[in-house]
Amino acid sequence: MLKIENVHKWFGSLHVLKGISMEVARGEVVVVIGRSGSGKSTILRCVNGLEPIQQGRILVDGELVEAHSRHVRKIREEVGFVFQSFNLFPYYTAQENVSLALKIVKKVPPDQARGIAEQMLGRVGLSDKLAAYPDQLSGGQQQRVAIARALAMSPKLMLFDEVTSALDPELVGEVLKVMQDLAEGGMTMVVVTHEMGFARAVADRVLFVHEGQIAEEGTTEQIFSAPRNENLRSFIQSIL
Amino acid sequence: MPEIFIAFSYKDVLYLLQASLVTVALCAMAFSCGLVVALAIGLMRTARRVRVLRFVAAAYVEVFRGTPLLMQIFIAYFGLSIIGLQLPKFVAVSIPLILFTGAFMGEIVRAGIEAIPRGQWEAGWSLGMSYMQVMRWVVVPTAVRIMIPPSVGFLVQLVKGTSLAYVVGYVELTRAGYIVSQATYATMLVFTLVGLIYFGINYPLSLASQRLEARLKRHA
């Protein structure tokens, strides 16, 4: 589903990704962990072309991702992206946030788009908030709307970029629950997170990114119980 | 009072009010046409990936914002007539007003667009929207709300700015006041009245904008 081959990226003179290669199979849930600044979010942003890469290739379902190309829009329709800061559209209701892209990108008739939006919001437990504006919702609810918005496009792959990092602790659970349901429903997911409990419960595979490289990769069991990499060991200690 | 002077009467008030309609019409025309120019300028100035567009728009803004409107009207009317292009007064006054509005409002449009956080763009893009779709459906609805207060500020300036049309003899409110004061010698009275009429145009504008702002702010 996703294939990343020897990807390098520079921000100016800063070498942030130093030869990343990874694959994600259909239906697989891959969790990416690492310290802040390690490049883990940048990997996600490159996958849907929000950031250009300078070397290597990224393929989504066999299609080459090229930032700034016209074609990348087609790929983005099929790749859901959920941001740390929600990025809901402030002057649209929850229902409109979810249906907007259906209407203008997929040209779904308004009635049908509204129906899909209601269904998706129901899926994330927000059937009673269809008409609410983002500023009337809690952080956890906003993030669930953002997930519904991405799901409405019926993506083949979902990318989650530290989606619970901006939330109050008591709101984290409701968002993780939605993500866990998705994972159990067979969605292909790449999740950048600091929620180790979630990683343990849901991940098929865990990648540890350190200084722009994948320093270790394995099952949840291997990563957390028998880390080989020195940096991974100290990282795990620091967060437990 | 000598007989050659006509006493100031209600007819003069009517004349001034009539002239104020010319001012309002001139303003409405300049603002609406100028807004179209401003939109183009604002889009060009924020076109991140096309340097030429940014440069052309910036040059335009600097020229029309950096020179007096009075001079622009002069050139449009007298300057162009030297090279054989004699524009009707209305046109000679309208063009500079439109271009002037385009420059100032263009900057307001740019500021409104640039005030939108990058995350909003990225959210739109990651849903498969094009640049113009994000602009139209995501950026503009928020940017418009940011643009209202400075736009009304400019509009109020523009209402007063139309008085510069008097230099080419175009009869709007200020010119009408001049004519009446020449005829009646009631200078203080006339120009106090003219001032009040300008205020009577502008104050409702300010009030309307405050209302609009409050109504649109509900979901900021």
Side-chain angles (χ1 to χ4, degrees):
Chain A
M1 177 58 62
L2 171 63
K3 192 168 187 181
I4 300 179
E5 293 173 358
N6 193 30
V7 163
H8 287 261
K9 172 163 184 68
W10 284 265
F11 283 119
S13 62
L14 190 66
H15 198 178
V16 286
L17 298 183
K18 303 169 183 167
I20 298 281
S21 296
M22 60 183 272
E23 280 190 51
V24 180
R26 193 178 299 271
E28 202 179 13
V29 177
V30 173
V31 166
V32 182
I33 59 173
R35 294 183 191 282
S36 50
S38 60
K40 54 193 193 308
S41 289
T42 307
I43 298 174
L44 286 196
R45 295 169 57 80
C46 291
V47 169
N48 78 340
L50 286 177
E51 296 285 352
I53 57 174
Q54 279 78 43
Q55 238 182 72
R57 297 201 309 164
I58 297 175
L59 299 165
V60 172
D61 208 12
E63 303 226 42
L64 187 65
V65 177
E66 284 176 288
H68 308 311
S69 70
R70 198 166 278 266
H71 182 65
V72 78
R73 267 153 54 190
K74 279 279 154 230
I75 297 175
R76 284 173 180 156
E77 280 183 46
E78 304 182 329
V79 177
F81 199 106
V82 185
F83 298 86
Q84 180 177 347
S85 50
F86 326 141
N87 294 342
L88 292 183
F89 308 134
Y91 296 107
Y92 291 93
T93 63
Q95 183 271 112
E96 290 164 342
N97 260 278
V98 178
S99 59
L100 179 64
L102 283 173
K103 285 186 278 194
I104 66 173
V105 177
K106 291 210 158 168
K107 314 285 182 212
V108 174
D111 282 351
Q112 211 180 323
R114 197 176 316 123
I116 296 173
E118 287 172 11
Q119 192 190 331
M120 291 302 152
L121 285 166
R123 209 164 143 188
V124 299
L126 290 173
S127 290
D128 55 337
K129 297 290 183 189
L130 299 178
Y133 285 89
D135 66 353
Q136 298 167 323
L137 298 171
S138 73
Q141 290 169 334
Q142 287 189 52
Q143 195 58 295
R144 285 187 282 152
V145 173
I147 293 173
R149 178 173 70 177
L151 287 179
M153 302 295 283
S154 28
K156 298 177 187 164
L157 169 68
M158 285 283 287
L159 308 173
F160 294 86
D161 186 10
E162 300 195 34
V163 295
T164 58
S165 300
L167 295 177
D168 291 336
E170 77 272 20
L171 302 176
V172 168
E174 62 190 66
V175 173
L176 293 180
K177 171 78 173 55
V178 167
M179 290 164 66
Q180 189 162 358
D181 288 349
L182 263 184
E184 282 161 8
M187 178 63 76
T188 312
M189 296 163 57
V190 181
V191 184
V192 169
T193 187
H194 292 293
E195 295 293 332
M196 296 305 144
F198 174 81
R200 275 176 197 270
V202 179
D204 295 312
R205 206 143 48 86
V206 177
L207 304 182
F208 172 65
V209 177
H210 184 73
E211 290 178 354
Q213 287 175 317
I214 295 177
E216 190 158 342
E217 176 176 356
T219 62
T220 320
E221 200 53 32
Q222 286 166 348
I223 292 284
F224 291 107
S225 309
R228 293 183 306 258
N229 182 287
E230 185 64 31
N231 294 306
L232 175 55
R233 270 201 292 271
S234 76
F235 175 68
I236 288 175
Q237 259 163 19
S238 71
I239 53 169
L240 290 182
Chain B
M1 194 177 276
E3 281 300 301
I4 50 164
F5 297 118
I6 309 153
F8 185 80
S9 74
Y10 75 95
K11 280 185 183 155
D12 297 307
V13 177
L14 285 182
Y15 180 66
L16 290 178
L17 286 175
Q18 221 169 16
S20 74
L21 292 181
V22 176
T23 289
V24 169
L26 196 58
C27 221
M29 188 280 309
F31 193 71
S32 47
C33 296
L35 214 50
V36 176
V37 177
L39 199 61
I41 292 296
L43 288 177
M44 285 165 74
R45 288 214 73 173
T46 52
R48 213 171 299 153
R49 305 182 58 77
V50 194
R51 183 185 296 235
V52 181
L53 290 182
R54 285 204 312 267
F55 178 80
V56 170
Y60 168 88
V61 168
E62 291 308 330
V63 168
F64 284 95
R65 205 177 52 169
T67 56
L69 181 56
L70 185 68
M71 188 215 73
Q72 293 170 23
I73 295 174
F74 246 95
I75 290 181
Y77 189 65
F78 299 111
L80 291 183
S81 75
I82 292 171
I83 59 166
L85 187 63
Q86 182 62 64
L87 298 175
K89 278 178 187 166
F90 177 73
V91 179
V93 169
S94 297
I95 290 175
L97 280 175
I98 290 170
L99 297 180
F100 184 76
T101 302
F104 268 86
M105 287 298 298
E107 285 298 274
I108 293 174
V109 170
R110 175 176 74 98
I113 291 172
E114 286 178 348
I116 307 307
R118 193 170 163 74
Q120 292 282 303
W121 284 98
E122 293 185 344
W125 282 331
S126 65
L127 290 164
M129 294 184 201
S130 66
Y131 181 88
M132 285 315 282
Q133 282 174 330
V134 180
M135 186 65 93
R136 161 71 186 81
W137 295 97
V138 178
V139 173
V140 166
T142 308
V144 161
R145 289 159 164 95
I146 298 171
M147 283 162 46
I148 289 171
S151 299
V152 175
F154 174 76
L155 187 52
V156 166
Q157 289 294 325
L158 184 66
V159 170
K160 295 183 285 176
T162 55
S163 67
L164 293 174
Y166 87 93
V167 295
V168 298
Y170 188 71
V171 183
E172 39 61 68
L173 183 50
T174 299
R175 182 80 189 179
Y178 181 75
I179 292 168
V180 173
S181 75
Q182 288 288 298
T184 64
Y185 270 57
T187 313
M188 276 309 290
L189 180 62
V190 170
F191 279 103
T192 304
L193 199 56
V194 166
L196 279 174
I197 296 175
Y198 275 115
F199 185 78
I201 297 170
N202 280 331
Y203 188 58
L205 278 179
S206 299
L207 285 184
S209 108
Q210 280 167 26
R211 281 210 168 165
L212 189 61
E213 234 182 290
R215 221 182 63 189
L216 293 176
K217 212 170 229 160
R218 254 180 288 165
H219 295 288

